[in-house]
Amino acid sequence: MHRKTLLKKVLLWISVCCCFAGVPALIVFHSINKYYSMSEEVLKETCKRELQKALNICTKAAAAEKFWCKKLSEKLQEFSRQRSSLEETEKWLKKTREEFNSVFEYIAWNPAGKMTHISFNSDYSESEWHEVFLELIRASSEAENYKWTRPSKANIETVRRVIGPQYVSEMIEANTNAKKYGFAWTDSSLRKPLVWASVTRKGCFLVLFPHEKFKSDITLKTVIKNLSDAKAPLFGLYRPNTRNSPIWLPRNDHSFAALFNNLKICEKNMQGFVEEKKYYLATSFLTPQLRLFAVTARKFTTSQKRLKAMLGSFILILFLLPFFSYTFNTIVGEKPGTLSIRPRLAFLFFFANAIPFLAMTIVAQEHYLQKRNTLLKDIHKRSVELLKDYDKRLESSYSAFEYETQTFFDRWVASIDTKGQLTDKNNAKVIKAARQNFVDNYFLISSSSAYVGTFAGVRKVEENLSVNEEKDEARGTRPQPTMSKNDKNNAQVFNLIGKRVMRELNGTTRSNQAATKLELLAESLLQKSFAEITHGFIKAMGGITMWGFGKVQNLTLMKFMSLSGSEMIDFMAVIIWNSKTVQDHYVENTILNINRNPVGLKVVARKELTRQYFPPDFVPNQQIITQIDQATERPSEEIETIEFNDSQYLAICFKGKFLERYKIMGLYPLDRLSRIIGRQKDDLILLGMLSILLGLLLAQILTRSFLVPLEQLQNAALAIETRDYAFRVKRTSKDEFGEIATIFNDVMVGLEELEVAKVVQESLFPENHLNKNKVKIFGRSITMAELGGDYFDFFEIDNNSCGVLMGDVAGHGVGAALIMAMAKSGILSCQNCLKTPKLLLEKLHYLIHSSKTRKQKKIMTFQYLYIDTDCGLGRYSNAGACSPILIENQGQTARELYLAGPALGAFKKANFKECEMQFKSGDALVFYTDGIIEARDSSGQEMGYANFMKLTQNCYDSDPEIMYQKIYRAYLKHIDGQEADDDLTLIVLVFS
């Protein structure tokens, strides 16, 4: 093969391999790499999310004092509500103490005052600790349940000597007060531990926190250790400004190399996330001195992802090795392909559809993952906005109270007679309206009267704080509801300030001495100048605002009212709502409506004081309880999920800014998100199925238009092979296949005719056997075409003789068959020449030569033997045929019976010779054509005359048929499976 041609073929083969193997391998590489990259993206998001969860928990643990007060208070309250025994509480304290590495010590007493457990060796006696017990009971709100202790009063000096010199009983209140959570710091010199105490109906508990352990971050580290289980991520602490041991991890893990350097980089560059070769690092601010970090080992490094992708591509290439070999043999080696069209088309269909579809599936999976994350973030954002809006709308609910209150007082002042006096009847209307409007307290002040309207009725209040007595002469003898001391003081203050403000606005001032005294009195109460007080009153007019004395602030509405026709201010109403009551009313009346939101968010509110849930039928599981317990004032920015009722939910939770007594949680069912994504996935699957269906339809169309005609042509070829020349191809279209079918059918007509000619030709051949007296003959002709060119015959001439002839027409086909038929007819017409071989050949020569035309110029080699079957005398003549082999002495010797002569029809004039021979018993004569002489072995070597002569001698047998079979088997062994190039005809004659 020419070098350039070979190079072109090799380049073509490489191009085919790149197209059908390289491109799919790249697609597989990219798809696998994308798949593992998606897994890493999920891991990164998980690391960030878990850090945010841990940050919410650790922020509380970092404020250890509040953390422990809250933890101990809530747990002991839970034990109290569940009516747990003293032993259960002690067991929990013991377990918690061990869990937090003995950060505290504790003492427990039963209600009888007997010490049931002490966790440390004390320097004080049990009697001294009993004094502490008595003091804790006295300072507790549960003192009434310990009535037996009242006759005994603790020795305060002993108490201070035991738990701290700065101890005062008010300190104990802050231990369990949710608004004031804090320890009792009883010793400024820090020699005594911090104190926390609680008294329940089941017993009294004193918890002591030694300063050296309390300041050692044991609490925070224990919380982090509990968060860092065997699974990722691993949490730790980093102190950026510490040289010695700046990193703390709950367990040793040497897989996170260069962690310190990465933390320094994060601190320097204010980064929150770092991707290392082997792990991810997320950091967050915890305290000015501490940073919380989470580190997660990567599932797959970049090199591992590439290696897996390369492995997938390599497996695909291994799968395609037969394809490489097949295409190399067909393109470069120019060998015919052994695969049928159907698997080829299936292969092409696979590459054209399956691999791109696989790649599209993986890319679509990445798209859906990103889509899911985007939807999650969007839903998280919308949910946070909805919850914050719900929290903020508490303020807008004030307008309903304000409107109803303003409307009522407008009607109320219009209904008062011209005298403008407060009466029980007028006040009763206010009481009724106030009750309906959830008012906590109110004060109705008259500018011209000493009487003030309250829930307790109309009472006379002097403008002098030293007088607290009520003058009820004008009210009659009917008993009035009593007023609390606090309400009396508030009534006096509001009366003093309200009257002064109304007088200022009406321009009716009092004496300078009285005014000055009143101003000083008000300023001492409110710790503001009277001008600020007046300004505050006026500013608070007309709307609900947070207003009050000092730190005590409540929702307050102040309204000035004038009687009909009066230009003076006659009344001032101060209406006060307790924020707790308003919040409860708001939540109870709006929680169901907020659950009908467009986001599909389930909104839950928990009242922190009573831990009551709204809606009332909501039953939380432990995950929700924990999530709410850990909630802070701000909702988490990271996506957090929990399991509830066997379903996954997106959870958002925070403490209300306006609903400060509640924690608000939003639960979004992730299966709803999955349905949204699922619909898109269904669309993709449907599109993919339609694509596959379309491909199958196209394949079916291709099969019908391509494979079906090919299959018919294949059946036609098989029909030719099986010589079923009656088979016809149905023409299904007018395309190239239809034309081929037409041509094939025409050819089949010719082949059918040829088959008839073959039958005719085969009828010219004799039967395989002839036994006459002492002569046995066996002969057979094997043709390489439908119509061969070899002709042989042996027949009886009379009772004592027979003739044997063999001819070989140059070429094959119908022309050769015609010459054979002509020779047969010539022999039949020359019955008188059968005993004279030379004369027979001359007659046949004349016949064949005279039939030659321009188109038909075939000649025929011929040889004829006449033999007397009794005596073995024979006469032989040869017309250019292969000389027969005479085997004598029963196979001992072999020689060629040579007699020269021209082929029949070769020349116009021909001179033929004739010779006589005498057969002896056991002699054999083998006639043959040149097909066996020219037969080649696998190396291309011809058999030749010498080899054939030796072969016939070796194959000698007294039975001509057996001898023939031996020769034929030797012939087949010689060609060794090679296809024969010419007809094979043998005649074996044995004289016995």
Side-chain angles (χ1 to χ4, degrees):
M1 186 182 295
H2 197 275
R3 186 174 181 180
K4 288 186 177 179
T5 305
L6 178 62
L7 181 61
K8 287 181 179 180
K9 291 181 178 180
V10 171
L11 291 176
L12 177 60
W13 175 72
I14 293 173
S15 300
V16 171
C17 291
C18 290
C19 178
F20 288 97
V23 173
L26 287 175
I27 293 175
V28 170
F29 179 89
H30 177 73
S31 301
I32 295 176
N33 191 59
K34 275 286 184 184
Y35 174 80
Y36 287 111
S37 296
M38 286 189 292
S39 177
E40 290 299 303
E41 287 296 325
V42 172
L43 190 62
K44 285 193 285 187
E45 292 298 322
T46 302
C47 182
K48 294 177 183 178
R49 183 169 61 249
E50 294 300 321
L51 176 66
Q52 186 63 42
K53 288 182 180 179
L55 182 64
N56 293 338
I57 299 171
C58 292
T59 300
K60 298 177 181 179
E65 184 173 357
K66 185 176 180 180
F67 171 84
W68 279 111
C69 288
K70 187 174 187 296
K71 184 179 183 69
L72 292 169
S73 298
E74 290 180 350
K75 194 63 181 179
L76 265 64
Q77 287 174 11
E78 180 182 338
F79 282 137
S80 179
R81 287 195 302 271
Q82 295 174 352
R83 301 181 181 275
S84 302
S85 65
L86 180 63
E87 289 76 13
E88 289 177 305
T89 308
E90 289 179 4
K91 185 177 179 181
W92 178 83
L93 283 169
K94 180 181 179 181
K95 180 181 177 182
T96 305
R97 177 177 176 272
E98 292 173 353
E99 180 184 348
F100 283 86
N101 199 21
S102 302
V103 72
F104 64 82
E105 307 292 346
Y106 69 94
I107 304 174
W109 292 273
N110 62 20
K114 181 181 179 181
M115 185 184 294
T116 59
H117 187 84
I118 181 168
S119 66
F120 60 98
N121 296 324
S122 174
D123 296 332
Y124 301 101
S125 65
E126 188 171 344
S127 61
E128 288 175 311
W129 282 113
H130 187 72
E131 295 297 326
V132 174
F133 167 75
L134 294 175
E135 172 58 23
L136 295 178
I137 296 299
R138 187 189 66 81
S140 170
S141 61
E142 293 285 334
E144 62 181 12
N145 295 319
Y146 290 76
K147 293 180 181 180
W148 61 270
T149 62
R150 290 193 174 184
S152 303
K153 185 176 181 181
N155 187 330
I156 195 65
E157 295 300 326
T158 302
V159 173
R160 287 175 177 168
R161 186 176 72 256
V162 174
I163 64 175
Q166 276 83 42
Y167 168 78
V168 291
S169 60
E170 286 77 7
M171 291 180 175
I172 302 301
E173 180 189 359
N175 289 171
T176 55
N177 189 328
K179 290 187 176 181
K180 304 177 183 178
Y181 277 143
F183 293 142
W185 294 68
T186 60
D187 187 2
S188 57
S189 65
L190 306 182
R191 293 189 182 92
K192 297 291 184 180
L194 303 173
V195 175
W196 183 90
S198 177
V199 179
T200 68
R201 295 183 179 183
K202 296 294 182 179
C204 177
F205 304 92
L206 177 67
V207 183
L208 305 174
F209 289 84
H211 288 279
E212 63 276 7
K213 288 190 176 181
F214 186 70
K215 292 181 178 180
S216 62
D217 293 331
I218 290 178
T219 300
L220 181 58
K221 289 179 179 178
T222 304
V223 169
I224 293 175
K225 185 177 180 181
N226 292 336
L227 290 172
S228 298
D229 53 13
K231 299 179 181 178
L234 175 66
F235 298 101
L237 292 174
Y238 170 59
R239 297 180 184 273
N241 300 320
T242 302
R243 292 185 178 180
N244 296 327
S245 301
I247 299 177
W248 176 85
L249 287 168
R251 63 175 184 267
N252 294 327
D253 198 325
H254 302 289
S255 60
F256 304 122
L259 185 60
F260 178 60
N261 293 332
N262 286 321
L263 286 169
K264 287 197 297 183
I265 292 171
C266 289
E267 184 69 19
K268 181 179 179 180
N269 300 331
M270 301 182 68
Q271 290 178 250
F273 192 80
V274 171
E275 293 186 34
E276 260 292 326
K277 290 183 179 179
K278 295 185 178 180
Y279 60 83
Y280 300 115
L281 173 65
T283 65
S284 186
F285 179 90
L286 184 60
T287 69
Q289 295 81 27
L290 286 174
R291 308 292 181 266
L292 179 67
F293 66 86
V295 60
T296 301
R298 299 178 73 157
K299 290 183 179 178
F300 308 101
T301 63
T302 303
S303 58
Q304 286 174 333
K305 289 190 293 183
R306 290 176 180 172
L307 182 62
K308 289 180 180 292
M310 290 174 64
L311 181 62
S313 301
F314 180 70
I315 291 173
L316 176 65
I317 291 174
L318 286 179
F319 175 74
L320 293 175
L321 283 178
F323 169 77
F324 295 150
S325 176
Y326 181 82
T327 52
F328 183 83
N329 290 331
T330 54
I331 296 176
V332 180
E334 295 184 344
K335 296 179 180 179
T338 56
L339 284 178
S340 64
I341 296 296
R342 193 176 297 275
R344 294 185 197 179
L345 289 177
F347 180 80
L348 293 175
F349 181 79
F350 173 78
F351 274 88
N353 293 275
I355 291 183
F357 187 76
L358 173 65
M360 183 180 68
T361 302
I362 296 177
V363 172
Q365 186 67 23
E366 180 189 21
H367 167 73
Y368 288 130
L369 179 62
Q370 294 176 351
K371 180 77 172 178
R372 187 177 189 276
N373 291 336
T374 302
L375 286 175
L376 265 178
K377 291 177 181 178
D378 179 62
I379 290 169
H380 183 270
K381 180 181 178 181
R382 290 169 59 194
S383 300
V384 169
E385 290 175 353
L386 187 144
L387 294 177
K388 284 185 174 180
D389 181 65
Y390 176 66
D391 179 37
K392 191 175 182 180
R393 268 189 284 166
L394 173 66
E395 284 192 324
S396 65
S397 69
Y398 300 161
S399 60
F401 295 130
E402 178 186 334
Y403 174 77
E404 292 177 8
T405 304
Q406 293 275 20
T407 304
F408 167 75
F409 277 108
D410 289 341
R411 293 197 303 267
W412 180 83
V413 74
S415 68
I416 296 178
D417 57 20
T418 55
K419 294 180 181 180
Q421 295 297 318
L422 281 175
T423 64
D424 287 335
K425 183 178 180 181
N426 294 333
N427 188 60
K429 295 179 181 179
V430 178
I431 292 174
K432 182 179 179 181
R435 299 287 188 200
Q436 293 174 348
N437 213 20
F438 304 99
V439 172
D440 187 65
N441 206 352
Y442 78 92
F443 300 97
L444 197 57
I445 304 164
S446 173
S447 63
S448 58
S449 171
Y451 289 95
V452 175
T454 67
F455 275 120
V458 178
R459 301 301 175 89
K460 185 175 183 181
V461 180
E462 298 292 339
E463 296 183 21
N464 187 340
L465 290 180
S466 62
V467 181
N468 283 326
E469 298 176 358
E470 299 179 12
K471 306 295 183 180
D472 288 334
E473 295 85 355
R475 315 247 57 87
T477 59
R478 181 166 53 88
Q480 298 290 327
T482 59
M483 290 179 67
S484 66
K485 182 178 179 181
N486 187 51
D487 285 346
K488 289 178 182 178
N489 292 335
N490 288 339
Q492 283 187 306
V493 172
F494 279 116
N495 186 50
L496 286 170
I497 299 173
K499 279 184 168 56
R500 174 60 192 273
V501 171
M502 286 188 288
R503 286 168 183 165
E504 289 287 336
L505 295 175
N506 289 334
T508 57
T509 59
R510 300 183 65 182
S511 63
N512 291 336
Q513 182 178 0
T516 302
K517 184 177 179 181
L518 184 61
E519 289 175 9
L520 291 174
L521 186 59
E523 289 174 0
S524 66
L525 287 171
L526 300 182
Q527 298 179 352
K528 295 180 182 179
S529 67
F530 200 78
E532 289 179 302
I533 296 171
T534 305
H535 178 71
F537 259 61
I538 296 172
K539 186 178 179 181
M541 290 294 168
I544 296 178
T545 58
M546 291 299 293
W547 193 89
F549 302 128
K551 294 183 179 180
V552 181
Q553 301 284 316
N554 279 303
L555 296 170
T556 307
L557 174 66
M558 299 183 187
K559 181 175 177 62
F560 292 133
M561 293 171 286
S562 299
L563 294 172
S564 179
S566 173
E567 296 181 358
M568 307 294 286
I569 297 174
D570 298 297
F571 297 100
M572 174 182 164
V574 180
I575 300 93
I576 301 170
W577 287 270
N578 188 306
S579 61
K580 170 183 173 297
T581 305
V582 174
Q583 289 180 43
D584 292 346
H585 177 267
Y586 174 75
V587 171
E588 291 171 7
N589 286 274
T590 59
I591 193 68
L592 294 178
N593 287 332
I594 192 62
N595 273 281
R596 302 185 186 96
N597 56 78
V599 180
L601 192 71
K602 184 176 183 62
V603 182
V604 178
R606 188 178 80 178
K607 190 175 182 179
E608 285 303 279
L609 186 62
T610 61
R611 300 177 74 85
Q612 182 181 3
Y613 288 87
F614 296 92
D617 59 348
F618 179 77
V619 180
N621 62 5
Q622 187 57 46
Q623 285 193 41
I624 289 179
I625 294 172
T626 303
Q627 190 85 3
I628 295 178
D629 288 341
Q630 295 172 358
T632 60
E633 285 75 11
R634 293 187 304 171
S636 172
E637 295 180 1
E638 298 296 331
I639 305 296
E640 298 183 25
T641 59
I642 62 173
E643 186 173 342
F644 177 61
N645 290 342
D646 299 327
S647 299
Q648 290 291 323
Y649 285 83
L650 168 68
I652 306 104
C653 188
F654 61 92
K655 184 179 180 182
K657 180 179 179 181
F658 301 95
L659 291 166
E660 75 269 10
R661 294 176 178 271
Y662 288 84
K663 284 186 177 178
I664 308 169
M665 170 176 269
L667 297 171
Y668 181 84
L670 293 181
D671 59 349
R672 184 171 181 178
L673 182 66
S674 300
R675 286 196 296 270
I676 296 174
I677 299 294
R679 285 195 293 269
Q680 297 183 1
K681 283 188 176 181
D682 292 343
D683 292 341
L684 177 67
I685 292 172
L686 180 61
L687 182 63
M689 291 179 66
L690 289 175
S691 176
I692 294 174
L693 184 62
L694 179 62
L696 292 174
L697 182 61
L698 291 174
Q700 191 68 19
I701 295 173
L702 182 64
T703 300
R704 287 188 172 276
S705 61
F706 187 71
L707 290 181
V708 170
L710 279 180
E711 187 175 353
Q712 291 187 1
L713 292 176
Q714 182 184 18
N715 293 334
L718 292 174
I720 294 175
E721 184 179 3
T722 57
R723 304 178 186 277
D724 182 13
Y725 300 121
F727 180 85
R728 297 292 183 270
V729 177
K730 296 180 180 179
R731 182 170 180 174
T732 57
S733 60
K734 295 183 180 180
D735 56 7
E736 291 82 352
F737 288 112
E739 294 178 2
I740 292 174
T742 302
I743 295 172
F744 178 83
N745 289 337
D746 293 341
V747 171
M748 289 297 279
V749 172
L751 290 176
E752 190 172 15
E753 295 174 354
L754 189 63
E755 180 68 11
V756 174
K758 182 181 180 183
V759 172
V760 173
Q761 184 189 43
E762 289 179 349
S763 67
L764 301 178
F765 295 147
E767 292 185 359
N768 294 337
H769 295 272
L770 176 62
N771 295 328
K772 185 67 173 176
N773 298 328
K774 296 181 180 180
V775 174
K776 295 180 181 179
I777 304 174
F778 183 87
R780 180 177 292 174
S781 179
I782 301 174
T783 61
M784 297 299 109
E786 291 298 325
L787 295 175
D790 288 0
Y791 172 56
F792 77 97
D793 198 359
F794 39 83
F795 50 86
E796 293 183 9
I797 298 176
D798 53 31
N799 292 331
N800 297 319
S801 63
C802 65
V804 179
L805 61 88
M806 178 176 286
D808 184 3
V809 183
H812 304 85
V814 176
L818 290 174
I819 297 298
M820 290 170 59
M822 191 182 300
K824 177 73 172 180
S825 62
I827 292 170
L828 294 175
S829 62
C830 298
Q831 291 293 324
N832 57 344
C833 301
L834 295 179
K835 294 183 179 182
T836 309
K838 176 182 177 183
L839 183 59
L840 179 63
L841 265 60
E842 289 175 352
K843 293 286 186 181
L844 292 177
H845 169 72
Y846 175 78
L847 181 64
I848 293 173
H849 185 271
S850 62
S851 65
K852 290 177 64 176
T853 64
R854 291 183 179 181
K855 293 183 178 181
Q856 173 60 279
K857 295 182 179 181
K858 292 186 179 295
I859 60 175
M860 181 180 186
T861 63
F862 193 84
Q863 54 186 324
Y864 177 72
L865 172 68
Y866 163 78
I867 184 171
D868 188 316
T869 57
D870 286 328
C871 64
L873 179 64
R875 285 191 287 271
Y876 171 75
S877 184
N878 190 328
C882 296
S883 299
I885 305 297
L886 177 62
I887 304 170
E888 298 173 314
N889 302 321
Q890 297 184 351
Q892 297 298 316
T893 60
R895 63 184 177 89
E896 183 179 0
L897 188 62
Y898 179 76
L899 186 66
L904 299 180
F907 308 104
K908 184 175 182 180
K909 293 181 179 182
N911 185 20
F912 300 101
K913 297 179 181 179
E914 181 179 297
C915 66
E916 288 187 358
M917 63 179 69
Q918 180 64 49
F919 288 91
K920 297 177 182 179
S921 178
D923 288 351
L925 187 65
V926 179
F927 296 90
Y928 58 93
T929 58
D930 58 359
I932 193 169
I933 302 300
E934 296 173 356
R936 297 178 183 272
D937 60 13
S938 58
S939 62
Q941 186 71 30
E942 288 186 351
M943 179 174 288
Y945 287 100
N947 290 331
F948 180 69
M949 185 182 298
K950 186 177 180 179
L951 182 150
T952 55
Q953 184 180 0
N954 293 334
C955 295
Y956 173 81
D957 194 276
S958 59
D959 188 335
E961 183 177 359
I962 294 175
M963 185 175 178
Y964 172 88
Q965 295 297 341
K966 288 182 178 180
I967 296 172
Y968 184 67
R969 284 196 294 270
Y971 161 78
L972 293 177
K973 183 178 180 181
H974 174 75
I975 64 176
D976 191 22
Q978 302 293 317
E979 186 175 353
D981 295 328
D982 201 355
D983 301 338
L984 174 65
T985 303
L986 287 173
I987 299 175
V988 179
L989 181 151
V990 177
F991 182 79
S992 58

